[in-house]
Amino acid sequence: MSLANPMALVLLGLAAPVIGFYILKIRLRRTPVSTLLFWRKIFDEKKPRSLWQRLRHLLSLLLQLVFLALLVAAVSDPIFRWQQKQSRRVVVIVDDSAGMAATDLAPSRLEAARARALRLIEGMRHGDETAIVAASRPRVVCGATDHERTLKQALASIVQTDAPARMTAAVELARRLLSGSPKTPRIVVLTDAALDQAAELAASSDVELVALGARTGNVGITQLQARRSVVDPVGYEIMVEVENAADEPAQLRLELELGADPIDVVPLTLAPGARSVQMFEKTSAEGGRIHARLDKADALMADNDAWAVLPRRARQKVSLATPGNLFLEKVFEALPAVDLEVVKVAPETKPAKPAPAAAGAVHVYHRQTPETLPAGNVFVIDPQVSGPYWTVGEAIKQAVVAKQDRDSAYMANIRLDNVALPESRKLSFPAGARLLAETAAGDAILAAIERPGVGKVVVLGVDLDKSDLPLQTAFPILAANVLSEFGGAKGELRPALAAGSTAELDLAADLKAGESFVLHAPDGIETPIVLAPGATKATLGPLDLHGVWSVLRRSEQAAASARPAGAEFAPGDHLVVELACNIADRRETDLRAPEGITARPLESALALAVRPVWYYLLATAWLLTCWEWLLYQRRWID
Amino acid sequence: MALFDSDFLQKLEYLSLVSRRVFRGQLLAQRRTKQLGGGIEFADHREYTPGDDFRYLDWNVFARHGDLLLKRFQEEEDLHVYILVDASRSMALGDPPKFDYARQVAAALAYIALAELDRVAITTIAGDVRADFPLTRGKGRILALLDFLEKQKPDGTHTDLERSARVFTRRGQRRGLVIVISDLFDPAGYARGLDILRHHGHELHLVQIHDRRDADPAFKGDVELYDVETDTIERVTVTERSLKQYRKVFAEFLESVKTYCHTYGVGGARSSTEVPFDELLLRMMRAAGALA
């Protein structure tokens, strides 16, 4: 046996004052009594036992000296040889995944895991080393050390995430930490055992799986996505998946909101283990955050909410130049998200140059065309003269569409073969133009031309005044298809990410001198996004909190100004993009440990024998103090 | 606060009324002495002996049977009540002090006796007889009696009932009712002193007083017990166990006093100072009524 702190033996000198004080008689308090008759009767009877009394008095001194000896021994921290031989290196894996936020163990499973880990740290023997690994994003929170305070601080720094547990990777990391160490290796996994690999881990000889939490039922949203409709310019679709990971049926309500506006409320009845996938088709040109919420309070509330980001449908500016056609004007007026401007005569335009910014504007020319087509997208109807991309020929008396390009998005849901097209113009187009509708004679009456970097051109050679096309449903559908294709935002999807994943973002379009990018987390914490010199793409994440993450562009001036109270962003912040992030993991929603897992209770690992010797010495001293106090109070000793 | 204030006097008056109405003099006053003499109440007959007063010959018996029998009448006389109050230093202890309590009881008994036209004397005792209030009669003397009691102090030495009784009986006073009010903490034992009083033909009545702390001490640990009567000191360690033993010994002491009274037909009352004195007196009266 050796002593970690042999200098503490000096404290044994305190025995001298203890003995000194014992020898010194203290003045007894005087108590007047009416008579000593009765007291003498009692104490005279005891006189034959005076030898025992003397011995008994010595017991008090003895107890005090033993108490001092134990304290000194504890401070000197004795280490036995067997302890030195049996030192261990322990890696504690703390599961900080979403499921550990379950409150079936108050306050949460993660806190219970933290408490267990704390006991392990406090139970370290001399020569033991402990490392801490977090499991959701396998990382070493604290390397192997025997410094208790460092370990406790590292343990306290582990925060709850909404990411799934990556236990296999965490265990592999722990094994790497243990490799090469001469000490006895040990891996302790503190988890709720709601893992796919739980059975495998429980069977591992080098892993002690400590299961936390009961077999608790939970209902959660395991998927939420939203996208723009491919057919409806202002339509969108929401897909929600709800799972009842419980042994009991569940009745609940699913509530959907777009921004602050309620979209739908759906009652759900789910059998044990059942999963419900709901599709919602809605219309709105507005975009924003879609929030799905379950109204059922359960052990894991984090998966009762999910978010998706719906791209806003941008309004299209349409400039219609027409000598006058009521049908044509009404068709464009009726189309949603269209800002229509009608002029009688098309203004002259400058030669078109590559200008992507102008791509948003749509010019519709009816029976007239400027000499030079403007930049952007152009829809030409019934041209009277040849233009840069088409040549007008003679009129066809009775044209009938015999062939149409059904694969083209321009022609979706349109049939022109039953439309009367008298006095249609023969049109010829340069090579590269896509012919969308042709007569039996092979004369094109509808074609689309790509102008790389400038815009698109669609030409329709139909006289609207003579044809019955404006009276057919094909006409507004054609107009909508043309605008939709010009807008280029069909079926736009900004997928909601699973918590714990990363996202790559191209910030080229938003880069401005003197401005920086910031990633704003759902809990309000902001992280600067650093781009490598010359790079435009940034990798964000891991996004390990569920909610909506925002990428902000911030000027130096905005960075210096304070954020107003209650405001989500600072004034001057420009929102670049929002990313929805959800738990979206069935394994995390399911709080029930797989059947047949026989997790080892930590208590056996934390048997009293694992504590250092000084702990027992102190405990004995404490017990001795209690005993001495009891004896003194009961006056068995004095 | 004065020991005998107006409240106290009111209580005395009440007690006097109660004693008259309920007990009809069975405790003190209106008691017949055992002496026969010139009263008016017939007691029995005895044979005539020469020299007897002819006035007491029973003519009716002589006429019927021819026997000369003398009528004997119970002599009515005043009852002499001697109240012995323990003024030893142990009586100064207690809350209220036992001596104050004893004086209140003595005053009350004296008042009842005076109200019934008995003669009352009060004597304070400790190691010896300390002070006397001589025999007196009439309710009008109560204030003087109270004044006497008020001036008494519990500053005698230790209790010596035997010596006090001897001194008291040597005075050759007329026999009567002797009421001893004391805690009876006599190192030599209380019995001898009481025996002397009994043997001198006094009718003895005992009022034993103790304080709550006498019966159940409230201290524990290392203490220096100081006997206020003998000025002796005992260093002891009082434990829960020894307290338990003390309570047992004290209960045995009370029981021994009770047994003594029962054995010798001595009227007795035991009380803690926590019991109001008027309640004690009522209890004594009820006990006397029950015995009668």
mmCIF file of all heavy atoms in Angstrom, chain A residues 9 11-12 15 62-76 617 621 624:
data_model
loop_
_atom_site.group_PDB
_atom_site.id
_atom_site.type_symbol
_atom_site.label_atom_id
_atom_site.label_comp_id
_atom_site.label_asym_id
_atom_site.label_seq_id
_atom_site.Cartn_x
_atom_site.Cartn_y
_atom_site.Cartn_z
ATOM 1 N N LEU A 9 -0.263 12.790 6.942
ATOM 2 C CA LEU A 9 -0.066 12.094 8.218
ATOM 3 C C LEU A 9 0.300 13.072 9.339
ATOM 4 O O LEU A 9 0.140 12.771 10.513
ATOM 5 C CB LEU A 9 1.017 11.020 8.078
ATOM 6 C CG LEU A 9 0.640 9.844 7.163
ATOM 7 C CD1 LEU A 9 1.796 8.866 7.074
ATOM 8 C CD2 LEU A 9 -0.597 9.127 7.694
ATOM 9 N N LEU A 11 -1.249 15.478 10.127
ATOM 10 C CA LEU A 11 -2.512 15.825 10.807
ATOM 11 C C LEU A 11 -2.787 14.929 12.009
ATOM 12 O O LEU A 11 -3.659 15.239 12.823
ATOM 13 C CB LEU A 11 -3.675 15.743 9.819
ATOM 14 C CG LEU A 11 -3.660 16.778 8.687
ATOM 15 C CD1 LEU A 11 -4.776 16.491 7.702
ATOM 16 C CD2 LEU A 11 -3.813 18.176 9.261
ATOM 17 N N LEU A 12 -2.082 13.824 12.082
ATOM 18 C CA LEU A 12 -2.265 12.953 13.249
ATOM 19 C C LEU A 12 -1.908 13.685 14.540
ATOM 20 O O LEU A 12 -2.323 13.295 15.633
ATOM 21 C CB LEU A 12 -1.419 11.686 13.112
ATOM 22 C CG LEU A 12 -1.996 10.606 12.183
ATOM 23 C CD1 LEU A 12 -0.998 9.479 12.013
ATOM 24 C CD2 LEU A 12 -3.306 10.069 12.739
ATOM 25 N N ALA A 15 -4.268 14.710 17.368
ATOM 26 C CA ALA A 15 -4.677 13.831 18.483
ATOM 27 C C ALA A 15 -4.319 14.470 19.821
ATOM 28 O O ALA A 15 -5.027 14.272 20.825
ATOM 29 C CB ALA A 15 -4.015 12.469 18.336
ATOM 30 N N LEU A 62 -11.726 7.210 22.754
ATOM 31 C CA LEU A 62 -11.301 6.253 21.737
ATOM 32 C C LEU A 62 -12.003 6.539 20.406
ATOM 33 O O LEU A 62 -11.381 6.551 19.340
ATOM 34 C CB LEU A 62 -11.626 4.837 22.217
ATOM 35 C CG LEU A 62 -10.945 3.718 21.446
ATOM 36 C CD1 LEU A 62 -9.445 3.778 21.639
ATOM 37 C CD2 LEU A 62 -11.479 2.367 21.900
ATOM 38 N N LEU A 63 -13.291 6.789 20.476
ATOM 39 C CA LEU A 63 -14.069 7.066 19.264
ATOM 40 C C LEU A 63 -13.552 8.320 18.564
ATOM 41 O O LEU A 63 -13.432 8.365 17.342
ATOM 42 C CB LEU A 63 -15.550 7.246 19.614
ATOM 43 C CG LEU A 63 -16.329 5.981 19.901
ATOM 44 C CD1 LEU A 63 -17.757 6.317 20.305
ATOM 45 C CD2 LEU A 63 -16.367 5.094 18.663
ATOM 46 N N GLN A 64 -13.230 9.326 19.344
ATOM 47 C CA GLN A 64 -12.735 10.570 18.750
ATOM 48 C C GLN A 64 -11.386 10.336 18.074
ATOM 49 O O GLN A 64 -11.118 10.883 16.994
ATOM 50 C CB GLN A 64 -12.610 11.646 19.830
ATOM 51 C CG GLN A 64 -13.974 12.139 20.295
ATOM 52 C CD GLN A 64 -13.882 13.047 21.502
ATOM 53 O OE1 GLN A 64 -13.009 13.883 21.578
ATOM 54 N NE2 GLN A 64 -14.772 12.856 22.445
ATOM 55 N N LEU A 65 -10.539 9.541 18.720
ATOM 56 C CA LEU A 65 -9.222 9.275 18.129
ATOM 57 C C LEU A 65 -9.349 8.442 16.852
ATOM 58 O O LEU A 65 -8.645 8.685 15.865
ATOM 59 C CB LEU A 65 -8.326 8.555 19.145
ATOM 60 C CG LEU A 65 -7.890 9.437 20.333
ATOM 61 C CD1 LEU A 65 -7.084 8.610 21.317
ATOM 62 C CD2 LEU A 65 -7.089 10.631 19.859
ATOM 63 N N VAL A 66 -10.271 7.488 16.869
ATOM 64 C CA VAL A 66 -10.497 6.675 15.661
ATOM 65 C C VAL A 66 -11.035 7.553 14.537
ATOM 66 O O VAL A 66 -10.626 7.443 13.381
ATOM 67 C CB VAL A 66 -11.470 5.507 15.957
ATOM 68 C CG1 VAL A 66 -11.864 4.797 14.676
ATOM 69 C CG2 VAL A 66 -10.838 4.537 16.923
ATOM 70 N N PHE A 67 -11.909 8.452 14.895
ATOM 71 C CA PHE A 67 -12.486 9.387 13.917
ATOM 72 C C PHE A 67 -11.375 10.216 13.264
ATOM 73 O O PHE A 67 -11.313 10.359 12.038
ATOM 74 C CB PHE A 67 -13.480 10.300 14.639
ATOM 75 C CG PHE A 67 -14.019 11.399 13.797
ATOM 76 C CD1 PHE A 67 -14.892 11.122 12.759
ATOM 77 C CD2 PHE A 67 -13.664 12.715 14.022
ATOM 78 C CE1 PHE A 67 -15.392 12.132 11.973
ATOM 79 C CE2 PHE A 67 -14.156 13.721 13.233
ATOM 80 C CZ PHE A 67 -15.024 13.436 12.204
ATOM 81 N N LEU A 68 -10.469 10.723 14.090
ATOM 82 C CA LEU A 68 -9.351 11.515 13.573
ATOM 83 C C LEU A 68 -8.465 10.655 12.665
ATOM 84 O O LEU A 68 -8.055 11.087 11.584
ATOM 85 C CB LEU A 68 -8.544 12.078 14.746
ATOM 86 C CG LEU A 68 -7.311 12.890 14.348
ATOM 87 C CD1 LEU A 68 -7.715 14.175 13.640
ATOM 88 C CD2 LEU A 68 -6.451 13.214 15.557
ATOM 89 N N ALA A 69 -8.199 9.441 13.124
ATOM 90 C CA ALA A 69 -7.342 8.548 12.347
ATOM 91 C C ALA A 69 -7.956 8.267 10.978
ATOM 92 O O ALA A 69 -7.263 8.267 9.956
ATOM 93 C CB ALA A 69 -7.131 7.247 13.112
ATOM 94 N N LEU A 70 -9.267 8.077 10.950
ATOM 95 C CA LEU A 70 -9.940 7.804 9.670
ATOM 96 C C LEU A 70 -9.865 9.008 8.748
ATOM 97 O O LEU A 70 -9.637 8.873 7.542
ATOM 98 C CB LEU A 70 -11.400 7.429 9.933
ATOM 99 C CG LEU A 70 -11.646 6.037 10.512
ATOM 100 C CD1 LEU A 70 -13.090 5.882 10.929
ATOM 101 C CD2 LEU A 70 -11.286 4.978 9.478
ATOM 102 N N LEU A 71 -10.066 10.183 9.306
ATOM 103 C CA LEU A 71 -10.002 11.397 8.492
ATOM 104 C C LEU A 71 -8.614 11.581 7.894
ATOM 105 O O LEU A 71 -8.471 11.887 6.704
ATOM 106 C CB LEU A 71 -10.354 12.614 9.348
ATOM 107 C CG LEU A 71 -11.838 12.897 9.560
ATOM 108 C CD1 LEU A 71 -12.018 14.184 10.337
ATOM 109 C CD2 LEU A 71 -12.562 13.017 8.226
ATOM 110 N N VAL A 72 -7.607 11.387 8.733
ATOM 111 C CA VAL A 72 -6.232 11.544 8.253
ATOM 112 C C VAL A 72 -5.936 10.506 7.171
ATOM 113 O O VAL A 72 -5.336 10.810 6.135
ATOM 114 C CB VAL A 72 -5.239 11.417 9.429
ATOM 115 C CG1 VAL A 72 -3.814 11.368 8.917
ATOM 116 C CG2 VAL A 72 -5.413 12.578 10.383
ATOM 117 N N ALA A 73 -6.402 9.299 7.400
ATOM 118 C CA ALA A 73 -6.188 8.237 6.411
ATOM 119 C C ALA A 73 -6.878 8.576 5.099
ATOM 120 O O ALA A 73 -6.333 8.354 4.018
ATOM 121 C CB ALA A 73 -6.705 6.914 6.954
ATOM 122 N N ALA A 74 -8.071 9.153 5.186
ATOM 123 C CA ALA A 74 -8.804 9.515 3.965
ATOM 124 C C ALA A 74 -8.075 10.595 3.200
ATOM 125 O O ALA A 74 -7.968 10.543 1.973
ATOM 126 C CB ALA A 74 -10.211 9.980 4.336
ATOM 127 N N VAL A 75 -7.564 11.600 3.926
ATOM 128 C CA VAL A 75 -6.861 12.703 3.258
ATOM 129 C C VAL A 75 -5.556 12.194 2.638
ATOM 130 O O VAL A 75 -5.154 12.640 1.558
ATOM 131 C CB VAL A 75 -6.583 13.843 4.273
ATOM 132 C CG1 VAL A 75 -5.758 14.954 3.630
ATOM 133 C CG2 VAL A 75 -7.905 14.419 4.765
ATOM 134 N N SER A 76 -4.898 11.253 3.293
ATOM 135 C CA SER A 76 -3.630 10.749 2.744
ATOM 136 C C SER A 76 -3.859 9.822 1.542
ATOM 137 O O SER A 76 -2.930 9.501 0.826
ATOM 138 C CB SER A 76 -2.839 10.020 3.822
ATOM 139 O OG SER A 76 -3.596 8.935 4.308
ATOM 140 N N LEU A 617 -13.196 5.403 3.905
ATOM 141 C CA LEU A 617 -12.676 5.934 5.168
ATOM 142 C C LEU A 617 -13.547 7.090 5.649
ATOM 143 O O LEU A 617 -13.906 7.167 6.829
ATOM 144 C CB LEU A 617 -11.233 6.397 4.974
ATOM 145 C CG LEU A 617 -10.214 5.284 4.736
ATOM 146 C CD1 LEU A 617 -8.881 5.858 4.305
ATOM 147 C CD2 LEU A 617 -10.043 4.455 6.009
ATOM 148 N N ALA A 621 -15.831 7.295 8.950
ATOM 149 C CA ALA A 621 -15.699 8.388 9.907
ATOM 150 C C ALA A 621 -17.043 9.042 10.157
ATOM 151 O O ALA A 621 -17.399 9.367 11.293
ATOM 152 C CB ALA A 621 -14.704 9.420 9.370
ATOM 153 N N LEU A 624 -19.109 6.845 12.243
ATOM 154 C CA LEU A 624 -18.586 6.886 13.607
ATOM 155 C C LEU A 624 -19.070 8.147 14.328
ATOM 156 O O LEU A 624 -19.435 8.114 15.513
ATOM 157 C CB LEU A 624 -17.052 6.884 13.528
ATOM 158 C CG LEU A 624 -16.329 6.323 14.727
ATOM 159 C CD1 LEU A 624 -16.703 4.876 14.939
ATOM 160 C CD2 LEU A 624 -14.832 6.437 14.520
#
